[in-house]
Amino acid sequence: MKLFEKMNWKLFNLALWIEIILSYFLPFKITDSLRYKVGFPMPYLYMDNRDLDISPFMSMHCNPIGLLFNGIIIYILVIVGIKLYHRLRQKHIK
């Protein structure tokens, strides 16, 4: 439980938002002619390419575990980036 106490929830929230925004800018992965995968580094949103008579919401499938996994990876990258920035800044000041 100490992990949850040490975790910066604002940065984790930022990491999840970064993941969602990256999904709009990164290209989709096409598995076959009927399915698209969205997400970085692991796909978490799947869309089926179907007829026009089906609602887009009915053709989308979300994997919340994949979204959390991606959020954790981006959170770790943000923490490492912040630590590197502080280290470089301290060396520059001295």
Side-chain angles (χ1 to χ4, degrees):
M1 297 312 281
K2 288 186 179 185
L3 174 68
F4 292 117
E5 293 171 5
K6 287 185 173 184
M7 193 165 182
N8 187 339
W9 291 102
K10 288 183 181 180
L11 282 180
F12 185 68
N13 184 17
L14 176 68
L16 289 176
W17 279 108
I18 289 172
E19 169 60 29
I20 292 170
I21 291 170
L22 278 177
S23 299
Y24 285 102
F25 294 109
L26 293 177
F28 295 165
K29 295 176 187 173
I30 302 173
T31 57
D32 53 15
S33 63
L34 298 176
R35 181 167 270 199
Y36 301 101
K37 293 181 178 182
V38 180
F40 173 79
M42 182 176 114
Y44 71 92
L45 185 65
Y46 303 94
M47 293 178 283
D48 295 330
N49 187 10
R50 298 199 181 179
D51 296 330
L52 294 175
D53 60 340
I54 296 176
S55 169
F57 287 117
M58 298 304 290
S59 67
M60 294 176 71
H61 309 283
C62 183
N63 179 4
I65 302 291
L67 178 64
L68 287 176
F69 179 72
N70 292 344
I72 290 170
I73 290 174
I74 293 174
Y75 173 77
I76 291 170
L77 291 174
V78 168
I79 292 292
V80 168
I82 289 172
K83 287 185 180 186
L84 285 174
Y85 172 76
H86 287 303
R87 223 179 256 169
L88 290 173
R89 190 171 177 203
Q90 286 177 353
K91 287 182 181 181
H92 182 68
I93 291 173
K94 292 180 183 179

